[in-house]
Amino acid sequence: MRVGVLTGGGDCPGLNAVLRAIVRKGVPAYGHEFVGFRDGWRGVLEGDVRPLGIPEVRGLLPRGGTVLGSSRTNPFATDDGVDRIRGTLAEREIDALIAIGGEDTLGVAARLHDDGVPVVGVPKTIDNDLGGTDYTFGFDTAVSIATEAIDRLHTTAESHHRVLIVEVMGRHAGWIAVHAGMAGGANAILIPERPFDVDQVQAWVESRFRAQYAPIIVVSEGAMPLGGAEVLQSGQTDAFGHARLGGVGDWLAHEIERRTGKEARTTVLGHVQRGGTPTARDRWLATRFGLHAIDAVQAGEWGMMAALRGTDIVMVPLLEATKELRLVDPALYAEAEVFFG
Ligand code: F6P
């Protein structure tokens, strides 16, 4: 078979490890040939390809980002998107597609499967908010980076008696904030799933200072105050209709300074969380997803996605995985709350 592979959406540590696993198994075990599409669905729409053989995946296991490039192109944003995709697959004699991505990229894959395109999915996102799988790769790396940042910020918070706010990624789900906040000993963790009460945050800050410590607050970019809205970096939206978030940390710092008279500063981790080499766990997960994805292609399991359930990799329908985002469980948040204030 000739198999096309693409990586779409925000880049994520572990993407290259998936490519390596797919090719390293697919060539010797099944005799498949691979074609890499550049920049996600854009490459499929425009027939923009690059070679993807064993020589091209050498050295990729620890490498961050994606050698295929990525974009947030949405083929369904144009009327002829599906026809153009079919055209590219026919022209390049491609028998199957492996789409590696998050809710948007895999949402497109699910719709294409409905239209009869032979596609298999691999879940990635640092946000860890994809349904159908316990974890996505990239998340563990993002949590490690955010935890290290929190550890480092504690010393400045204590030395200067400041409130330090760490703004982490997480558009709709607060997984990074909850995991890194718990690991880093945050005094408040604010997540999109639970609008926060600024009076309560102020009370936590004041109680932390009374205990002769300085507060660290971890806030997801998508968190919002009760009765308020998400803080946007710009009014622009991407091809899937997502606004660019950012700024809730600064908003909160200003509010805390105004209410408490204590100096409050924000560190926005931004793309640092998505950069660099994947952790061992993300390499392990990405590699296993890649191996199971190419097995699924060989078995003709179209419309399925590799997923982690416990320690097993299983195949689940793309449609099921992309139906609903996986949000932070209130019981987990309650565990984190024990340490607030
Ligand atoms: O979807 C992953 C993610 O990192 C989100 O946490 C974040 O909101 C978004 O991507 C940022 O996207 P971009 O890098 O395109 O601005």
Side-chain angles (χ1 to χ4, degrees):
M1 262 193 248
R2 268 169 69 79
V3 183
V5 186
L6 66 100
T7 54
D11 73 334
C12 173
L15 284 167
N16 285 322
V18 181
L19 301 177
R20 169 182 173 269
I22 289 171
V23 173
R24 286 287 297 276
K25 179 154 192 190
V27 173
Y30 301 129
H32 294 329
E33 263 180 66
F34 293 92
V35 172
F37 283 106
R38 287 196 167 93
D39 304 340
W41 293 114
R42 184 197 69 75
V44 194
L45 285 173
E46 296 175 12
D48 189 357
V49 299
R50 54 159 275 169
L52 192 65
I54 287 183
E56 284 78 26
V57 298
R58 261 193 206 118
L60 288 193
L61 181 59
R63 200 160 140 191
T66 161
V67 291
L68 293 183
S70 194
S71 73
R72 295 193 185 274
T73 305
N74 180 0
F76 288 98
T78 55
D79 289 340
D80 62 348
V82 179
D83 290 339
R84 283 167 65 193
I85 286 176
R86 282 188 200 288
T88 300
L89 298 185
E91 196 181 312
R92 302 269 167 190
E93 298 177 330
I94 288 171
D95 308 296
L97 268 180
I98 300 179
I100 311 169
E103 49 161 328
D104 298 328
T105 305
L106 296 184
V108 169
R111 287 177 71 179
L112 287 175
H113 166 66
D114 243 13
D115 284 332
V117 175
V119 59
V120 162
V122 174
K124 73 85 223 183
T125 163
I126 65 160
D127 288 1
N128 200 40
D129 59 358
L130 209 73
T133 181
D134 291 353
Y135 285 98
T136 51
F137 64 85
F139 172 64
D140 187 63
T141 307
V143 168
S144 303
I145 293 167
T147 303
E148 193 195 333
I150 297 167
D151 285 349
R152 288 174 185 277
L153 290 168
H154 272 291
T155 52
T156 298
E158 303 298 347
S159 305
H160 291 265
H161 319 292
R162 283 177 186 160
V163 183
L164 288 187
I165 298 169
V166 189
E167 183 178 309
V168 298
M169 281 188 169
R171 199 182 273 167
H172 308 291
W175 291 107
I176 298 176
V178 170
H179 280 235
M182 284 179 87
N187 308 108
I189 301 171
L190 311 176
I191 61 174
E193 293 90 333
R194 176 84 69 97
F196 59 87
D197 176 351
V198 189
D199 291 340
Q200 174 67 81
V201 177
Q202 178 186 345
W204 286 326
V205 164
E206 286 169 342
S207 93
R208 184 72 178 168
F209 277 122
R210 273 198 304 276
Q212 306 299 319
Y213 290 106
I216 301 268
I217 300 174
V218 178
V219 59
S220 307
E221 60 181 354
M224 57 193 114
L226 274 171
E230 288 166 330
V231 182
L232 306 184
Q233 228 179 74
S234 79
Q236 281 176 345
T237 52
D238 67 19
F240 290 91
H242 303 300
R244 194 180 296 172
L245 301 180
V248 64
D250 274 339
W251 179 87
L252 190 62
H254 179 77
E255 199 57 27
I256 288 172
E257 279 195 352
R258 189 179 69 74
R259 287 160 169 256
T260 66
K262 294 283 186 187
E263 190 179 356
R265 301 274 194 98
T266 300
T267 300
V268 180
L269 294 183
H271 293 108
V272 170
Q273 292 157 98
R274 293 205 322 229
T277 188
T279 58
R281 186 176 166 81
D282 278 340
R283 295 180 201 185
W284 171 89
L285 186 56
T287 298
R288 294 188 71 203
F289 278 165
L291 296 175
H292 284 259
I294 195 59
D295 287 348
V297 165
Q298 176 66 13
E301 294 183 56
W302 310 127
M304 302 297 274
M305 178 191 92
L308 182 71
R309 294 273 168 86
T311 55
D312 293 334
I313 307 290
V314 297
M315 297 306 291
V316 299
L318 272 168
L319 208 61
E320 183 195 303
T322 53
K323 214 164 31 197
E324 266 179 21
L325 287 175
R326 207 170 63 85
L327 301 179
V328 170
D329 179 354
L332 173 65
Y333 191 72
E335 290 173 8
E337 272 182 311
V338 169
F339 302 96
F340 291 4

